[in-house]
Structure formats: structure tokens, C-alpha cells
Amino acid sequence: MYITVTFNPSIDYIVFVDDFRTGRLNRAKAEHAVPGGKGLNVSMVLRNLGKQTKAFAFTGGILGDALIEMVKKEGIDFVSIPASSGETRINIKLKSGEETEINGRGPSIGKEELERLISLLGVELHEGDTLILSGSVPSTLPKTVYRDLAAMAREKGARSVVDAEGELLISALSANPFLIKPNRDELEAISGISPMTAEDIKEYAKKLRAMGAENVLVSLGGEGALLASSDGNVYFHPAPKGHVINSVGAGDSMVAGFLSSLEDTGCFETALKYAVAAGSAAAFSGKLADRALLEESHFTY
């Protein structure tokens, strides 16, 4: 079972505008709203790829109720934990030549809500499961929360995956996560090296393994991805060429694709190729990856 946790889910409002300009009325040529948040995205892609998954997320207010209904329509096994105050956020994704994003703040989550999550996971997590911790957490919570949840998973014989920035990611390394997935910008921020060369990325990915991560998957956007794996090798796979419609969810598709392929094949190199294919399929189509999209990209294994 793949169990995802999303501390700050969203309703993603994606709007396409020709020649957007500030300070004037702009009219959308297309728009749609989808459930968002990195953990929820990973669960939806895993479901699309035929894997068993369950999603946990904090929700708040009327927008939280709307999100719950949206996720239910997606057919995801979903556990919503009510936040103490505030509304589930709306994230605006503006597409007009280039992408512009405005992300909301989200509700407040306190000690009691966190303890509720820990209690639920304590019952849900079993040996052999994978706990996936993705995205930001509210400022009301400690930066060690992913470390603590990853450590709980390890105690139960489950694996953990961490896709987060900065201190959230670094602190989790002491819990020996099975996989972490920084992107180039996040890697530059935590390494203090900018811009990073290909060799810098390779060496710092190996350093993160030495600091505790079993596997380090670095997403490099249009360049592809690099994997420093627990078999001692470093693999690279380039991204296919294509027109990016919407990059939101591409990294989450990559995580889900990697885990799905690794379960099916047991091969790190194949899993990396599948991860890149899944991320690219999402970016080029504007929707989360599924088997049909991957078949269209002619990926087989």
C-alpha cells in the first residue's frame, strides 16, 4: 500500500489567458479546477498506474468540503482531517506564454490535528507499506515533522519517501528515507551552489545518500532526471522533446512513476526511465500521468 500525506492540499484553479497584462481586465480562454497538493497528486497517479493507495490530508472550511468532493470523484481512498481554523487554499496557475503561480496560505494545523494524523497512521501503516510525504507544511508545525513521520514508518517496517524543500528535507535524512526527490532549484538552495553543473548535481546527490537517504532522485525539468541509487550507481536519463502545457504535477507524476516501475521491475535504471516518461507525459499533456499517456509516449518495459 502506498500512503500519501498532504499537509496543505489545494484546489488548483488553472486559467489560460492570451497576452495577459497586469493593471487591466483579462479574459480567460479556458479554465478548470482540479484537486491539488503533491501527496494527492502522487496518489492519483499511483491509482492511474494500477497501484493501491490511500491519501491523508488536512482540509478546512467550505473550500475543504469542496476539495473532499473533488477527491471522491477521482475515486481515491481519502481520509480528511479537519483543520482547527482557516480555509483550504486555492492555488492559481496562470498560463499565458509562461507559467505564473499564486499559491494560497491554507488553514492552521495545530498539535491536536497532528496527533490525530499520527494516530491514524499508527493504525494504517504496516510492514512493507510506503509512506509518501510531499510538499510544504504550515508554519505552525515544526520543521522536523517529516523526520518524525518517516521515523515512525521505519519503526513499523514501512518505507518513506520525502519530496520537500530545505530544512524539511534535510531533517528527514536522519530517518533514512527510502527515496527523496529534490529538483534542481531545491538542490541548489540546500547545497549553496548556484548554478550547479552536472558534476555538482551528481556529487551532491551522492552526498545526500551519505547523509541518510537510500535513493536520491533529482528532477531536472527539460533536461531529464538523475538517480543516485542504493545499488551504488548514478544513473541519468534525458527528457524527451515536447511542448510543455502545464508543469504542475509533473514532479509528482515522476515520483509515482518511479515507485510503480521499481515495484514492477526491481530495476533502478528502468524505474528512472519510467519516472522521466511519467513526468514528461504530465507536462506535455497538462494532466497527471496515466497508462494511456505513457503508452502514447511509446514507453514500454
Side-chain angles (χ1 to χ4, degrees):
M1 170 79 83
Y2 294 96
I3 297 170
T4 65
V5 173
T6 310
F7 277 91
N8 206 3
S10 63
I11 295 173
D12 285 355
Y13 177 57
I14 303 168
V15 56
F16 294 83
V17 178
D18 286 332
D19 191 25
F20 174 80
R21 295 182 186 178
T22 61
R24 74 170 199 181
L25 175 65
N26 294 269
R27 297 190 183 277
K29 68 174 183 179
E31 58 191 316
H32 60 276
V34 295
K38 296 179 71 63
L40 286 178
N41 288 342
V42 172
S43 272
M44 287 188 281
V45 178
L46 285 169
R47 186 278 317 273
N48 291 347
L49 298 178
K51 302 304 180 183
Q52 187 177 14
T53 182
K54 190 168 189 174
F56 289 77
F58 293 92
T59 59
I62 295 173
L63 293 175
D65 294 339
L67 177 65
I68 292 169
E69 290 304 312
M70 293 171 74
V71 176
K72 285 181 178 178
K73 287 181 180 178
E74 292 288 338
I76 298 295
D77 188 358
F78 183 44
V79 178
S80 168
I81 304 168
S84 58
S85 63
E87 291 276 347
T88 290
R89 60 184 177 157
I90 292 179
N91 291 343
I92 300 171
K93 315 295 182 181
L94 175 62
K95 314 297 178 182
S96 181
E98 58 183 6
E99 295 181 342
T100 300
E101 301 184 32
I102 303 173
N103 287 355
R105 292 173 57 87
S108 297
I109 300 171
K111 182 179 179 181
E112 290 185 4
E113 291 95 330
L114 179 58
E115 290 176 349
R116 174 63 175 158
L117 171 66
I118 292 170
S119 176
L120 290 169
L121 291 177
V123 173
E124 193 67 39
L125 277 171
H126 298 93
E127 186 174 356
D129 287 341
T130 300
L131 176 65
I132 301 165
L133 307 166
S134 300
S136 62
V137 302
S139 59
T140 51
L141 297 178
K143 294 296 185 182
T144 56
V145 64
Y146 279 177
R147 178 200 67 189
D148 297 340
L149 292 175
M152 182 179 73
R154 184 179 60 186
E155 290 172 1
K156 289 184 167 289
R159 306 183 305 183
S160 65
V161 174
V162 179
D163 183 3
E165 300 180 15
E167 191 177 345
L168 269 176
L169 177 65
I170 294 300
S171 69
L173 295 176
S174 63
N176 303 119
F178 173 74
L179 176 71
I180 62 172
K181 194 209 72 65
N183 60 34
R184 180 194 291 274
D185 289 343
E186 291 163 352
L187 205 66
E188 289 182 346
I190 61 178
S191 69
I193 303 170
S194 180
M196 297 186 86
T197 66
E199 187 64 21
D200 290 334
I201 292 168
K202 176 181 176 180
E203 291 305 312
Y204 205 80
K206 290 164 65 177
K207 180 178 178 178
L208 290 172
R209 282 205 63 235
M211 292 169 66
E214 291 186 39
N215 300 281
V216 180
L217 175 61
V218 184
S219 55
L220 300 171
E223 296 178 32
L226 176 144
L227 175 69
S229 67
S230 57
D231 65 6
N233 292 313
V234 176
Y235 304 98
F236 171 78
H237 192 71
K241 301 298 181 183
H243 174 64
V244 175
I245 295 176
N246 180 16
S247 64
V248 176
D252 307 320
S253 292
M254 180 176 282
V255 170
F258 179 85
L259 294 171
S260 175
S261 177
L262 190 62
E263 178 184 338
D264 292 344
T265 69
C267 175
F268 284 113
E269 189 170 15
T270 300
L272 175 63
K273 293 177 181 179
Y274 199 74
V276 172
S280 299
F284 298 160
S285 69
K287 59 183 180 180
L288 297 174
D290 57 24
R291 288 201 184 279
L293 283 175
L294 288 166
E295 288 170 3
E296 289 174 13
S297 69
H298 307 293
F299 186 91
T300 58
Y301 58 76

